[in-house]
Every structure is written in C-alpha cells, then in structure tokens.
Amino acid sequence: MTIVPVSRRTFIKSSTAVTAGLVLSPAIIGRAEAATMKLKCSSSLPNDPKYANGRVYYDNLVKNLKANGLGEQVEVSFFPDNQLGQEIDVINSVKLGVIDLMVSGSSISANLVPLVGTFDLGYLFTSFPQQTKAFDAGAAKPIEDALLKGGNIRIIAWAYNFGSRSVLAKKPVKTPEDLAGLKIRTLPNPVITECLRLMGAAATPLAFGEIYTALQAGVLDGLEHDPPTILASKFFETAKFYALTQHNFSPLAIYFSDMTFNRMDPKLREGFLDAAKKAAADTRAHGLAVEKEALAALTDKGVTVAECDREAFRKRVMPQTENFIKARPESKPVIDMIRATQA
C-alpha cells in the first residue's frame, strides 16, 4: 500500500503505457494481476492523516484489507492533493476505468448524473446520523442505481464529510444580508451554487485546487466547507470568520469504477468490498469526532467561529427543493424518505 507523490503528466504517461501493454500482451498482464491487483485511489484533499477524509479513508482501507487477508493480493496506491487532476477530470477517469477509486463528496458526480444533486440540496439533512438512517432505509438506492446506469460508477459505501458545510469569509456573516455581494467559492455544481446564491452570496464555482490562490488574490471573499478541510488546506490563513450556517450535510462517497469491479475476480471482489465498506464505517466515526477538534484548532489559529441566523438562511433556501422536485420528479421519493427520517 503506497501513498504516491506523482505529477499528473507522469500519471498520464504511465496510464498510456499500461493501456499499450494491455493491447500487446494481455496474458502477461493477466498473470501479474492474478498475483497482485493494483488500484489507484484519488482524493483532492491534502495528505493529512487526521483532518483529510481521503487519507483517513485510505488508511482505514489498508487496515481492513490486511484484516481480511488481502494485504498481498490488493495493492492500493493513494494520490492525494489533486495529483491526478481536478475532481471533474478524476470522476470522468473513474467512469472510464482509468482511475479505480475516488474519495469525494456526492456533489462531484452530480455533474455526470444530475439526480445525485438531490443530496446537495440546502438544509435537506439535519445531521450525519440522520443521513445514515435515511440511507439505511433505502434513500440512497435510487441515486446509486442512477449513477451506475448513467455514469458507469458504483458507490461502494457512503461516509461523512468531516462536518457540515459552513461559510468561511473575510468578514463576519450572521445574516443573509451580510453575504450580499461576497464572492463565495462553491463546488462546480449547480445545486450547491444555487444554494449559496439563495443564501445571499455571489456564488462562485471553482475547482478545489484553485481556492487558496484565489483567496490570496482577492478573487474570492470566502468559501463554504467543513472545519477539518479548512484546517487541513490552510484556508484559515486568508479568511478569518467562520459562520456556522450548516447549510449542507453532503455525504462522502467512495466511488468505484464499474470497469474495475467487473475485472476483479469474484472471490477477491467480495473480500475487497467488505473491507472497503468497513473502512467507510470507520471513517464515519472518525469524522464525527474530528469536527469539534478542528473547530477548536481553527479558533486557536485566530479564526472567529460564530453562530448565525440559520433559520433566516434556511427560509431563503426552501424554494430550492420544491423547484428541484419539479425539474426531477424522480427525486421526490428520495427527498420524502429523508425528510421523514428522524436522527
């Protein structure tokens, strides 16, 4: 199991070489894979073993693969910090089977299959435990089926982003009026962008890897994200006011290429998927514990963490869900199930 520092250019060259090898000598490649199956796992977040959900998931995966006796049969190389490209490129590579695994929020795959955007609706979930109960009751199944059919991507399991998404800005934010005119980075996702727009911000979609320099240059006035990610990525160095809007409890997805799934030996696949699901459960527990710790650490680093008028923000965002249902009626059973679930 390896954590690999690699440039994107090197990765593309090696992928091309591997593809050529598959064409020229399938028997040789087949024998090598039978001995050790090599997988690539991508994350946009830094290589932080405590505050970055991708690295935490990877470490848990390695641990559970060894526990299942697969430590020598499956070798997972971890590529953090956008090493394999921006997330929109990576999710397409997972779709094509060039990258095997990706740890990221549900939001990124909504660019491939818009129904996944259901989970990005503002103030849909009330907490992560409530989310898990809703998913266990079946709320995630239609989304998973749609992603497999439309994107050639499987969801191995759902984990948690390390806290709800809130607004970090260069000035205090307590009400929607305080957000007016502020350029707040959002994921390149229309549902998240619309949520922030309704909250009052000048919502600005931008790739994750470009946030820090955009904050430095004044292109952005802030962003919305969870506390551990803000800490691990050092966004607190350029913005000092964190308003607990808690507008989004988006789930963390463990994306798995269907092409990789299908080329796995069924016996190996069973043990791998078991380990991968256990790793997601371990990551959920870690995420719940580390959010409070990250908030305290941000305070120590000079960030003002403050409550805000969440009800005012929630009321402004309410029309988003009804409009989404009108545009995508197939989302209504999922939304109804989530709303009916109590934490």
Side-chain angles (χ1 to χ4, degrees):
M1 307 299 169
T2 52
I3 299 171
V4 184
V6 64
S7 70
R8 192 180 176 196
R9 178 177 295 178
T10 301
F11 168 69
I12 292 171
K13 287 182 178 178
S14 66
S15 296
T16 303
V18 169
T19 302
L22 284 169
V23 173
L24 294 172
S25 48
I28 294 173
I29 297 297
R31 286 198 298 273
E33 285 189 347
T36 302
M37 187 167 194
K38 296 184 178 182
L39 305 178
K40 303 182 191 74
C41 179
S42 176
S43 170
S44 65
L45 298 189
N47 190 28
D48 188 310
K50 185 173 185 178
Y51 292 119
N53 54 45
R55 172 63 191 277
V56 170
Y57 178 78
Y58 169 75
D59 288 345
N60 284 324
L61 177 59
V62 170
K63 177 188 71 176
N64 282 288
L65 283 171
K66 289 179 179 177
N68 281 8
L70 300 179
E72 301 300 320
Q73 295 182 57
V74 181
E75 180 180 328
V76 183
S77 295
F78 181 56
F79 298 85
D81 209 17
N82 290 304
Q83 287 181 6
L84 302 186
Q86 299 297 339
E87 287 186 305
I88 189 62
D89 300 317
V90 174
I91 195 73
N92 277 290
S93 293
V94 175
K95 177 182 179 179
L96 297 172
V98 177
I99 296 172
D100 307 289
L101 289 158
M102 180 184 186
V103 183
S104 183
S106 58
S107 310
I108 196 65
S109 59
N111 291 289
L112 298 180
V113 179
L115 185 62
V116 185
T118 304
F119 295 156
D120 299 323
L121 291 167
Y123 295 99
L124 176 63
F125 298 104
T126 59
S127 70
F128 281 119
Q130 181 244 3
Q131 180 185 101
T132 296
K133 285 188 178 182
F135 285 6
D136 288 347
K141 185 67 165 56
I143 306 296
E144 293 170 2
D145 291 345
L147 186 58
L148 180 58
K149 182 179 179 180
N152 203 36
I153 295 172
R154 292 176 178 269
I155 298 290
I156 290 181
W158 298 97
Y160 299 155
N161 281 299
F162 290 176
S164 57
R165 300 178 80 96
S166 290
V167 174
L168 179 74
K170 295 181 179 181
K171 57 170 279 189
V173 172
K174 292 187 177 180
T175 68
E177 290 72 26
D178 294 330
L179 266 182
L182 294 187
K183 298 183 291 293
I184 302 298
R185 181 267 179 180
T186 73
L187 284 152
N189 169 298
V191 178
I192 294 274
T193 301
E194 176 68 2
C195 175
L196 267 292
R197 187 192 68 78
L198 289 171
M199 288 170 66
T204 308
L206 194 69
F208 187 87
E210 299 173 17
I211 297 174
Y212 191 92
T213 53
L215 286 167
Q216 278 186 318
V219 175
L220 293 176
D221 298 308
L223 68 144
E224 49 89 47
H225 225 303
D226 60 76
T229 298
I230 289 169
L231 186 63
S233 302
K234 299 184 178 180
F235 296 140
F236 60 84
E237 292 179 349
T238 53
K240 295 292 187 181
F241 298 92
Y242 194 48
L244 298 176
T245 55
Q246 297 181 335
H247 53 273
N248 190 295
F249 288 86
S250 62
L252 184 70
I254 313 304
Y255 296 110
F256 188 39
S257 173
D258 191 47
M259 294 182 71
T260 306
F261 175 90
N262 288 322
R263 70 184 174 89
M264 263 190 170
D265 178 89
K267 292 182 181 178
L268 181 63
R269 182 196 299 155
E270 183 179 351
F272 172 79
L273 291 177
D274 178 71
K277 290 174 182 177
K278 288 176 180 175
D282 293 341
T283 303
R284 285 199 295 269
H286 179 92
L288 288 177
V290 83
E291 180 183 14
K292 292 181 180 178
E293 191 172 336
L295 280 172
L298 287 173
T299 300
D300 290 342
K301 293 183 180 297
V303 175
T304 299
V305 178
E307 292 290 342
C308 61
D309 190 349
R310 274 195 295 273
E311 185 60 20
F313 286 114
R314 189 188 69 80
K315 285 180 178 178
R316 289 189 58 148
V317 173
M318 279 178 65
Q320 182 184 37
T321 298
E322 302 313 315
N323 290 335
F324 190 87
I325 292 172
K326 288 178 183 177
R328 305 193 180 281
E330 66 273 29
S331 68
K332 188 176 188 305
V334 174
I335 291 168
D336 287 346
M337 193 175 297
I338 292 169
R339 285 175 164 174
T341 302
Q342 300 298 316

